[in-house]
Every structure is written in structure tokens, then in C-alpha cells.
Amino acid sequence: MSNVKMKIKKGDQVIVLSGKDKGKTGTVTLASPRDQKVVVGGVNVATRHRKPSQAQPQGGLERVEAPLHVSKVAHVTADGKPTRVRYETQDGKKVRVAVKTGSKIDG
């Protein structure tokens, strides 16, 4: 478990590069740098069968977004294509920049 800084953060628009959801885009809802994983809304949805309980008397199917490894997603540009992210110093501040377009990602 390496604690390497990830270039993808919560709130970023990303595209899935591999797996059953390849090509789907979504927003990162949770980023976990310790595990090198991200949770993307509407992607990698797992279904759990729940028995009825006092808290949930109906029971039924529960759909949850499961985490993906950060290497399976890439930041998405305005035209919907994946790009890598690099860091640059602009006006004395470290900002994230899309490699393909050169546009600033952070506000």
C-alpha cells in the first residue's frame, strides 16, 4: 500500500479506460490515495442482495458504486477524450494542467 499522491481528485470528470465500464464517464465522488482507488458516480455498480431487517423492512437489491484503481481512469477533456495530468507552476502556484490541451484543470 503505497501512499503516492494521485493526480485525480474528488470532483474531477473522468473516463474509464478498461474493464466492463470502459468508455463511461462520471464524476469522482471519493478519492482514496492510501489505496490508490477512486469511486466514480454511475460506474462499476455492484448489486448486493439484502435480507429484510428492522431498519430496512422491505429488503431487496442495493446498488453501490465500487472503487476502481486509479490507473483505470483518466481525466477527460472538454471534447470527451482522455488526457494525462501534469503539474506546472503558474503565478507562483502549483496547478494541474491537461497534457493534451494544455488547459488548467484547477480553478
Side-chain angles (χ1 to χ4, degrees):
M1 303 237 187
S2 61
N3 200 3
V4 180
K5 182 170 172 138
M6 296 192 313
K7 294 183 178 180
I8 294 181
K9 297 180 180 180
K10 181 179 175 180
D12 285 351
Q13 278 291 119
V14 294
I15 187 167
V16 180
L17 301 174
S18 64
K20 64 177 183 175
D21 292 322
K22 180 179 179 177
K24 287 188 181 177
T25 59
T27 305
V28 176
T29 56
L30 177 86
S32 177
R34 167 176 246 144
D35 302 326
Q36 293 283 298
K37 299 207 180 237
V38 291
V39 175
V40 182
V43 175
N44 198 26
V45 178
T47 306
R48 304 189 74 157
H49 297 260
R50 293 289 186 186
K51 281 178 132 180
S53 64
Q54 283 191 337
Q56 195 83 10
Q58 188 69 14
L61 299 176
E62 181 183 294
R63 289 176 176 76
V64 215
E65 286 122 6
L68 285 166
H69 195 268
V70 75
S71 65
K72 291 184 179 243
V73 297
H75 199 275
V76 70
T77 58
D79 59 352
K81 294 189 178 176
T83 182
R84 289 169 301 159
V85 177
R86 72 167 171 250
Y87 287 97
E88 285 183 0
T89 306
Q90 295 178 357
D91 301 326
K93 288 188 176 184
K94 186 174 166 185
V95 294
R96 293 185 303 154
V97 176
V99 171
K100 235 178 214 178
T101 60
S103 60
K104 192 163 71 165
I105 294 169
D106 291 336

